[in-house]
Amino acid sequence: MALEIERKFLVLNDSYKQESFSHSHIQQGYICSERGRTVRVRIRDEQAFLTIKGLSTDNGLSRYEFEKEITLEEGKQLMQLCEPGMIDKIRWLVKFEQHIFEVDEFFGENAGLVMAEVELSSVYESVKLPDFIGKEVTGDRRYYNSHLRKHPFKEWK
C-alpha cells in the first residue's frame, strides 16, 4: 500500500481548461463506501482500476491507498456490483510550478461542482496555487467522491 497525501480545493473559474495539458473521462462506482474504507471501480477512458482506500488521517490530508489496473471488461463487470449512484466526471491535468493539479468537472447528479486536487510528497510540503483555485476543502467529507455518490451536489442547499 502507498500513502496518498493530497489537498482538495474548489475551483473558481474554467481557466484550467486552457491551462490543461490532458483530460480524460472518468466513471466510477463503489463496491464498498463505509467510513474508513472504500473499494472503488474506476473506468478512465479505456482503462479500468480497482482501488482500496483506508481511513483519512492528518485532518483528511492523507490515507492509505492501494490501486491495481484491471482489464476494461473486468471493470465493466465490477461496475455491475457497485452500490447505487455513479460518479461521472472529466479530469483535467494542469501543471503549475512543480505540481500537477487534477481538476474534476462533475456531471450528472453532481453537475456544477468543480474541484481540484494536488498530490504532495509529505504533509508538510508547501504548494503554490494557480489563480483558478478557491476555498480549500481538504478533509471535508462532503467533497469525497464516495460521499457525493450518496449525497449528490444537486441536493445541497
Side-chain angles (χ1 to χ4, degrees):
M1 285 202 282
L3 186 63
E4 174 188 56
I5 304 168
E6 67 183 11
R7 291 174 63 188
K8 288 186 174 203
F9 303 88
L10 296 179
V11 172
L12 299 172
N13 58 56
D14 68 356
S15 65
Y16 62 89
K17 291 180 180 181
Q18 291 76 39
E19 298 175 41
S20 170
F21 65 87
S22 177
H23 68 280
S24 55
H25 181 236
I26 295 174
Q27 290 183 308
Q28 64 191 43
Y30 290 83
I31 293 172
C32 173
S33 61
E34 293 182 23
R35 185 177 175 103
R37 66 179 152 273
T38 59
V39 179
R40 175 185 77 198
V41 179
R42 172 181 280 174
I43 296 177
R44 182 177 191 157
D45 293 333
E46 297 300 313
Q47 291 181 286
F49 302 88
L50 182 64
T51 305
I52 302 168
K53 293 189 178 198
L55 181 65
S56 291
T57 59
D58 299 311
N59 294 317
L61 192 58
S62 62
R63 64 180 163 173
Y64 284 101
E65 177 182 278
F66 170 84
E67 185 167 77
K68 179 80 172 164
E69 186 169 0
I70 57 178
T71 69
L72 183 58
E73 186 57 35
E74 288 169 328
K76 289 177 180 179
Q77 290 177 10
L78 286 173
M79 282 288 195
Q80 304 305 310
L81 301 176
C82 289
E83 299 169 343
M86 181 73 58
I87 297 293
D88 185 23
K89 60 189 178 182
I90 299 285
R91 172 161 289 168
W92 303 81
L93 301 181
V94 177
K95 182 163 179 39
F96 185 78
E97 301 283 333
Q98 292 88 301
H99 293 93
I100 303 291
F101 286 80
E102 298 177 337
V103 181
D104 289 342
E105 177 185 11
F106 290 84
F107 300 102
E109 300 285 296
N110 291 297
L113 179 61
V114 182
M115 288 191 304
E117 298 178 355
V118 61
E119 291 201 15
L120 306 173
S121 56
S122 91
V123 295
Y124 306 107
E125 183 180 353
S126 63
V127 60
K128 289 190 176 185
L129 304 176
D131 291 339
F132 59 80
I133 295 294
K135 176 184 173 188
E136 183 164 5
V137 294
T138 302
D140 187 336
R141 288 186 37 76
R142 294 177 302 162
Y143 294 99
Y144 290 6
N145 283 278
S146 58
H147 187 269
L148 289 168
R149 181 194 60 78
K150 294 178 190 174
H151 307 283
F153 187 65
K154 77 171 196 167
E155 295 176 358
W156 297 13
K157 295 187 183 201

